[in-house]
Amino acid sequence: MLKIENLVVSYNSIEAIKGITLEVNEGKIVSLIGANGAGKSTTLKSIVGLVKPQRGSITYQGKDLLSTPTKDMVKHGITLVPEGRRVFANLTVLENLKIGAYSRKDEKEVQKDLEWVYELFPKLKERSWQQAGTLSGGEQQMLAVGRGLMSRPKLLMMDEPSLGLAPLIVKEIFHIIKEIHKQGVTILLIEQNANAALKISDEAYVLETGLISMKGKGKELLENS
Ligand code: ADP
Ligand code: ADP
């Protein structure tokens, strides 16, 4: 579905990504794991066109993504949930979710998806009229994912959804990610939390200072870690 080949990305003269190749097959959960500064976010930003790689290729269902504008990603079914639980703090939960459906006109469809998101995240339903800025960190992360789902992604990419959250909340969020996957969404997960990510991953890649140092089935890497 998504193919990255020999990708090189530099900031000024510093190479953040030094030639990586990876693949996300349709219907899988794939993780890209690495420490702070390894190049995980740079990889994600390259996919959606927020940084311009110096070399290599990125294709999605055979289509060249490097020449696809960022604003068209959602149209192609690619949604990125950015790092840092970005929510519109002054808007309600419901308003935040509706923003996720901004590109779609059919009210009935949007309503159906809203119900889908509320089913996945009952906590968001309970709090639909609450200002997003007053939610807990975990709830804000759920809202950020829920808003991503409102654009009906085929490929949902998440940048460190577990960052700064308590273990129980992380467990809950990862359980929901598995649930989202079961309902037909392909997932690319970026994580520092190797344990949590590997447990739910079909395939995983370990990124170290801009290079893939390991790859394999999630469970195998978990056993070897
Ligand atoms: P990760 O997401 O794994 O923490 P990043 O992709 O954010 O890693 O960063 C990879 C490397 O690129 C780091 O050394 C970081 O300092 C550098 N970097 C990231 N963004 C920029 C930028 N806008 N300008 C210069 N260097 C950057
Ligand atoms: P940056 O400041 O890093 O350039 P932007 O603020 O332009 O990033 O936002 C990037 C994306 O993140 C936007 O497309 C938007 O959907 C989302 N975003 C930005 N700010 C917020 C916010 N306060 N609440 C929710 N989403 C936000």
Side-chain angles (χ1 to χ4, degrees):
M1 186 179 214
L2 179 77
K3 252 192 192 154
I4 298 181
E5 280 176 306
N6 304 314
L7 189 75
V8 174
V9 186
S10 307
Y11 294 110
N12 304 316
S13 56
I14 297 164
E15 266 190 6
I17 299 293
K18 302 170 183 167
I20 66 169
T21 292
L22 70 86
E23 197 167 347
V24 178
N25 288 314
E26 190 160 7
K28 303 289 185 198
I29 301 183
V30 177
S31 287
L32 182 61
I33 291 164
N36 215 356
K40 304 183 299 299
S41 295
T42 301
T43 306
L44 274 191
K45 286 180 184 163
S46 305
I47 295 169
V48 297
L50 291 171
V51 302
K52 291 277 162 252
Q54 274 61 36
R55 276 188 277 136
S57 69
I58 304 181
T59 59
Y60 171 78
Q61 296 181 326
K63 184 178 159 42
D64 173 25
L65 271 196
L66 291 178
S67 61
T68 304
T70 302
K71 67 172 172 50
D72 291 347
M73 293 294 162
V74 165
K75 202 169 64 194
H76 294 297
I78 302 174
T79 294
L80 170 63
V81 179
E83 189 179 347
R85 312 170 204 153
R86 293 213 202 190
V87 297
F88 295 99
N90 299 323
L91 302 182
T92 66
V93 167
L94 178 61
E95 287 165 338
N96 267 276
L97 289 173
K98 286 202 166 163
I99 286 172
Y102 68 96
S103 62
R104 300 171 36 215
K105 297 277 178 297
D106 187 334
E107 261 304 315
K108 260 198 190 143
E109 288 287 310
V110 171
Q111 198 56 39
K112 247 174 47 194
D113 290 347
L114 196 56
E115 280 169 24
W116 177 47
V117 170
Y118 280 159
E119 239 169 74
L120 286 163
F121 299 99
K123 280 187 179 160
L124 295 182
K125 186 171 188 181
E126 284 163 28
R127 296 171 183 276
S128 62
W129 300 104
Q130 191 170 324
Q131 275 207 340
T134 65
L135 296 173
S136 70
E139 289 157 359
Q140 288 186 5
Q141 183 63 59
M142 291 176 192
L143 179 55
V145 176
R147 192 180 56 193
L149 289 177
M150 290 299 290
S151 63
R152 285 259 179 124
K154 294 195 195 94
L155 173 64
L156 181 67
M157 306 192 289
M158 284 173 270
D159 197 349
E160 305 224 32
S162 80
L163 198 66
L165 299 177
L168 263 182
I169 309 289
V170 172
K171 217 172 151 187
E172 192 177 339
I173 288 179
F174 275 69
H175 175 76
I176 297 170
I177 293 173
K178 251 179 25 192
E179 207 48 49
I180 294 168
H181 166 251
K182 269 194 209 152
Q183 297 185 25
V185 182
T186 303
I187 294 189
L188 176 59
L189 185 61
I190 302 298
E191 269 295 341
Q192 285 191 47
N193 187 339
N195 255 327
L198 289 175
K199 267 187 207 153
I200 65 162
S201 296
D202 297 303
E203 308 281 342
Y205 295 81
V206 178
L207 190 61
E208 278 181 68
T209 55
L211 285 169
I212 302 286
S213 61
M214 264 196 275
K215 67 170 190 175
K217 304 264 174 243
K219 295 239 161 64
E220 286 166 16
L221 290 184
L222 191 61
E223 281 157 16
N224 296 332
S225 67

